[in-house]
């Protein structure tokens, strides 16, 4: 089971809901996280169970970032609105930087999200299980 975060800016929430509906069967066996309203909207339109954090501007991006920083997140779909300035842009940039530091796959548009979810569906994320298995500080 992988940990997957779903985040969407306001004008991308409908797109995220439709994406979650289309790939509900792929997301179902995984542990899902989302920022506030995005998580609520997905749960209202699917049977997915989602752990919701605060809204992005209120710290939700940073809460997800904390999981990324400790290499506890496996995949992020963050549908960003490139045409709208965001008041919490520094938080967004910090989250994306952390994904780069930890090597966490992140999609910021629907085209890349489709590729990553198709890869997840094929089982191409098995390498993340090795990351967790051999994570420093974890003993069996």
């Amino acid at each position: 089971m992988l940990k997957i975060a779903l985040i969407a800016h306001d004008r991308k929430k409908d797109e995220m809901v439709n994406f979650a509906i289309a790939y509900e069967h792929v997301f179902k066996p995984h542990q899902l996280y989302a920022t506030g309203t995005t998580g609520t909207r997905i749960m209202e339109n699917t049977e997915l169970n989602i752990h919701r954090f605060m809204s992005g501007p209120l710290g939700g991006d940073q809460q997800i970032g904390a999981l990324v920083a400790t290499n506890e997140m496996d995949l992020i779909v963050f549908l960003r609105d490139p045409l709208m300035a965001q008041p919490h842009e520094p938080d967004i940039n910090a989250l994306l930087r952390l994904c780069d530091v930890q090597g966490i796959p992140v999609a910021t548009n629907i085209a890349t999200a489709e590729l990553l979810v198709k890869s997840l569906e094929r089982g191409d994320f098995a390498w993340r299980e090795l990351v967790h298995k051999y994570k420093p500080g974890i003993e069996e």
Side-chain angles (χ1 to χ4, degrees):
M1 174 178 12
L2 298 179
K3 294 180 180 179
I4 301 170
L6 304 171
I7 308 167
H9 284 150
D10 288 344
R11 297 193 316 181
K12 297 290 184 172
K13 289 191 190 318
D14 288 340
E15 193 172 14
M16 178 62 85
V17 168
N18 290 333
F19 182 73
I21 291 169
Y23 292 106
E24 184 170 355
H25 66 285
V26 177
F27 291 130
K28 191 77 169 162
H30 300 287
Q31 191 169 351
L32 302 177
Y33 299 84
T35 48
T37 307
T38 302
T40 299
R41 298 253 333 256
I42 292 170
M43 287 194 298
E44 289 172 348
N45 290 279
T46 68
E47 294 182 16
L48 295 171
N49 184 27
I50 299 176
H51 175 85
R52 291 183 317 118
F53 289 114
M54 290 187 271
S55 170
L58 298 178
D61 297 334
Q62 291 181 344
Q63 289 176 300
I64 291 172
L67 292 175
V68 172
T70 57
N71 207 3
E72 293 295 324
M73 189 61 63
D74 297 298
L75 168 66
I76 297 178
V77 176
F78 189 165
L79 299 183
R80 298 174 61 197
D81 183 354
L83 302 178
M84 180 74 70
Q86 301 297 323
H88 62 295
E89 194 70 34
D91 297 340
I92 296 165
N93 290 335
L95 175 60
L96 296 175
R97 184 183 61 77
L98 283 170
C99 288
D100 288 342
V101 168
Q102 294 293 347
I104 307 299
V106 59
T108 58
N109 60 64
I110 200 69
T112 308
E114 292 269 349
L115 292 171
L116 287 179
V117 170
K118 289 290 190 182
S119 179
L120 177 65
E121 188 174 29
R122 276 194 318 261
D124 294 345
F125 276 76
W127 64 274
R128 286 298 301 165
E129 293 172 14
L130 291 174
V131 168
H132 294 300
K133 182 176 180 179
Y134 296 107
K135 185 175 178 182
I138 297 177
E139 297 181 24
E140 293 186 32

